[in-house]
Amino acid sequence: MFVRILLIFAFSLFIPKTILSSELLMKKDSIFVFSGHIIDSESGNALRSVTVRVANLDIGKLSDKEGKFSLKLPKGQHTILFSMVGMKTEIIDIKLDKNIDNYKVILNINPSLTGDVIVIAETTAERLMRKTIERKLRFTDSIKSYTYSLYTKFVASADTAFAGRKDNNTDTTILSIFESYSKGYFESPDKYYNQIIQRRQSVNVPPQANFVTFGTSINAFEDYVRLIGDDVATPFHKNALDYYNFTLDEKYHNHDSSIAKIIATPKSDNRKQFTGYVLLDTFKLVPKYVDLTPNVAVKLPFDAVLFYKQSFDLVGNKYVTPSYMYIYSSVDAGFLWLISPRVDIKIETFAYDFEYNMDIPSKYFNRKRVEASKTADEFDTLYWKMNQVVPLTNDEIYAYDAIARARENPDSAMTEGFFGTYFAPINRQLAKLARPPFTGWQDIFAYNRVHGAYLGIGVRGDLSDYNEALGKIGYGFADKRPYGSLLLKQFFEEERMAAITLESFYNLKRMDNPYGFRNEGITLTSLLFNNDYGDYYYSQGYKIGFEAGIGQLRFIRRNVFERPKTIKLYFQHERQRQAEINTEFSILSPSRLFRDNPGIIEGTENALGFELNYNISPERRLSDFGIRLEGQISDPKLVSSDFDYKRFLTSFNLRTKTLPLWRLDMRFSAGFSEGNLPPQRFFSLESAVSGIAGLNSFRGLGVKEFYGDRYFSLAFEHNFGEIIPGVLRIPNVASFGLEFTIFGNVAYTEFSDNVIFSPLDELLMKNKQTSTTADKFYYEAGFGINQILVFLRLDVAARFSQTDVPKFFVTVGAATF
């Protein structure tokens, strides 16, 4: 768990490549020295940092603080250029057949910068960075696509006590190692794909977990580098001169005199940036190497330290490409002062064999960003020997064997203890149930007031390149019913962008939004507190549909990926039956009774439906703007149904920055129906339950307090980030940095005259609409503290409607990022 939390970037020092200057190729007996000094024509003062360049050779230098320069040149005729911002370039021709000393060069002010033009002072470092960024912008548009080969190595280590194994005389032991070779593809503006060709990992890591490929998407020469979900502005950002202070390190010396070291420091901590230095080729105006650490505005878990180093090559004298990257991070993962293991992460990558502006088949960008080839796990010894670019260290070689020995024989480890010896093997077997082909623990155990304890299993897998199956089966012990479903997908092409779907099911289905408060949360609150959030009915039938999507597959949750833009069409035949309460058991609240399950109108529903999603998923936010529309039509004249209605639902989310570290989120959803809508299709406002707030819920509402066949809700939240970056970071509690938020929510529900109520609770339901209250609407406002213990948030909400005085509620929920 700690290692997954702490998958943050890190690196070690890499010696940048240098280019042998032409003077090293000259014969000693034909070399002469040309030296002198440069002065300002008006003041007579020495001019420092003047670029002195030989036109016919790749040789040059900068004048020192006394305006002096010295060049070693071969015998013959040479053209020398002296240039500086704000000054007119001076060009001289010399014939060298002997040493020339004390040559005087006078630079005049550039006439184009006189008169009404205001000249702003610019340091040498600023000038070099400005020109480098200008060069970058000139060539950026010319990069349409590229491919490359990539080696990636990921090593996780910990202190010996936490690792439970001692490999050497140090206090650090390697926990796990991942390695892979992949082929990378990029297409402008932001399409990336990596196919893993070969991979290997220590035996304590399943192959399915080895998807570590840090390709060119981490590139310090771009405007941003993404760390822990944040975009961090680099020293090469197009506005870097506004964001950074750049200074020239005059003490830096390199045998290649064209390389300058430039120190970069943020002008403010109110923007996510780096601190460090850049090694720059002053003549070609390209970076050779960067050594960076994120500033305090970048919130790393548990106050981790992170170092990011990267070197670059110039391909075709035109394209700057990242070659070697080394990231290193170390964290003391203290938790409430109970435990404090140290975890170190090291990542090394080497990118090579770049090819630019070639046609790349679109199929690569219709997949997940990282996929493994079918032969990736068939270890090819010859391939690894022939392609080795970053060799393993002796400690890493030893760790591969030591981890295997510890797995096969726990007694060979430093110490396992009772639990490690007897329960670790059981834990490893149980962990397999959370990995493919299994769908996760939510399909193995569940609990609610209808089926009580539920035991089952879910399996997902490919039947072929064009077929996918998802099956679930289980049993409810309180209602004594079996449950099951089978979903088959027949795809039309290998990229799986369109499919025919067929599903058969006998399930306990929820009437409310299943994504507002997930079933895993219902299991927790029902089992502990007799507080079940869901409304249920029994559903038996089948569903036939067509679905299609475009865009690269995006991660939704464990082993579930979706395309950002999708359309789904379906016909559903469903027999709907009333569900009753069958258990009152809970662990912590045995005397409390579950609330009643709402009544439904039983019958057989045939319906046509559709879903349209644009950069949105019902389970999570995919982008800064997304919109969703869904509808369902049940018409006896069309599909021979017991029900007659039309039901539509829409939602959208919008996120925008108000300041560099501030953001505003707005969410809107609305539902509308026509005809005789039955209770099992009513809308309900989503609330907190047992002090736990789910996704987009109202904190001050009672559970299922308001229903309707028409509704809307509007929510605003402003996140102010850390008020003072780095200050509110409490060790072991809030090391990630506490964020302050304010929010406001408003909603409205009503029942139209044509809806059908269940005889079981007709009067109760009619009173569960905001439109019949004195305030007509529900509204609340409050503030929150976000990212407590990294993953939690605490909210205080004040309810102002349906009450004479404000009522206050405190809820806990998942942190927002």
Side-chain angles (χ1 to χ4, degrees), residues 520-541:
E520 299 94 307
I522 288 178
T523 294
L524 177 67
T525 59
S526 298
L527 191 58
L528 294 181
F529 311 114
N530 263 42
N531 201 349
D532 189 340
Y533 184 81
D535 292 342
Y536 307 97
Y537 67 93
Y538 290 114
S539 169
Q540 180 179 2

Side-chain angles (χ1 to χ4, degrees), residues 448 450-456 473-484 506-509 537-540 575-582 602:
N448 62 41
V450 176
H451 59 47
Y454 167 96
L455 290 178
I473 190 170
Y475 184 79
F477 287 89
D479 61 357
K480 298 180 174 59
R481 290 176 183 258
Y483 296 95
Y506 180 72
N507 283 329
L508 184 67
K509 188 171 286 188
Y537 67 93
Y538 290 114
S539 169
Q540 180 179 2
R575 185 184 178 195
Q576 302 167 350
R577 293 293 179 264
Q578 180 70 42
E580 305 290 348
I581 297 176
N582 293 292
E602 295 187 337

Side-chain angles (χ1 to χ4, degrees), residues 83-268:
S83 61
M84 183 179 185
V85 173
M87 309 299 285
K88 184 178 179 181
T89 299
E90 184 73 16
I91 302 174
I92 65 171
D93 293 310
I94 61 170
K95 183 178 180 180
L96 271 186
D97 51 14
K98 63 179 180 178
N99 293 336
I100 299 178
D101 300 322
N102 298 319
Y103 192 95
K104 185 177 181 181
V105 179
I106 301 174
L107 295 189
N108 298 294
I109 293 177
N110 192 331
S112 64
L113 298 179
T114 59
D116 295 331
V117 179
I118 299 175
V119 181
I120 300 175
E122 185 177 48
T123 67
T124 301
E126 291 170 340
R127 173 174 59 86
L128 290 171
M129 291 302 297
R130 175 178 57 78
K131 288 188 173 183
T132 300
I133 294 169
E134 288 173 353
R135 182 194 183 281
K136 164 191 163 181
L137 296 175
R138 286 198 305 271
F139 286 108
T140 296
D141 292 340
S142 66
I143 301 177
K144 305 301 180 185
S145 64
Y146 58 77
T147 65
Y148 59 96
S149 296
L150 178 72
Y151 168 78
T152 302
K153 179 172 66 177
F154 176 97
V155 180
S157 306
D159 56 80
T160 301
F162 180 69
R165 194 183 80 250
K166 187 175 180 66
D167 291 346
N168 50 45
N169 294 326
T170 70
D171 65 346
T172 300
T173 299
I174 293 176
L175 293 174
S176 57
I177 305 174
F178 305 71
E179 292 181 273
S180 70
Y181 284 94
S182 62
K183 183 71 175 180
Y185 302 85
F186 167 81
E187 188 172 270
S188 180
D190 58 358
K191 295 179 180 179
Y192 293 91
Y193 174 70
N194 277 82
Q195 183 181 50
I196 296 176
I197 300 170
Q198 282 276 285
R199 63 183 176 187
R200 66 180 179 184
Q201 53 283 322
S202 50
V203 296
N204 58 346
V205 177
Q208 302 95 319
N210 188 354
F211 275 91
V212 181
T213 59
F214 294 87
T216 57
S217 55
I218 302 177
N219 183 355
F221 196 55
E222 299 287 347
D223 284 356
Y224 294 99
V225 165
R226 195 158 185 81
L227 294 178
I228 318 300
D230 288 328
D231 288 328
V232 185
T234 75
F236 300 100
H237 189 283
K238 61 184 178 181
N239 297 322
L241 292 173
D242 296 326
Y243 299 166
Y244 283 91
N245 290 313
F246 294 110
T247 56
L248 190 67
D249 184 352
E250 296 183 357
K251 296 181 180 180
Y252 175 77
H253 296 288
N254 188 283
H255 68 266
D256 186 344
S257 60
S258 67
I259 304 298
K261 181 178 179 180
I262 297 175
I263 310 298
T265 55
K267 290 184 175 180
S268 167

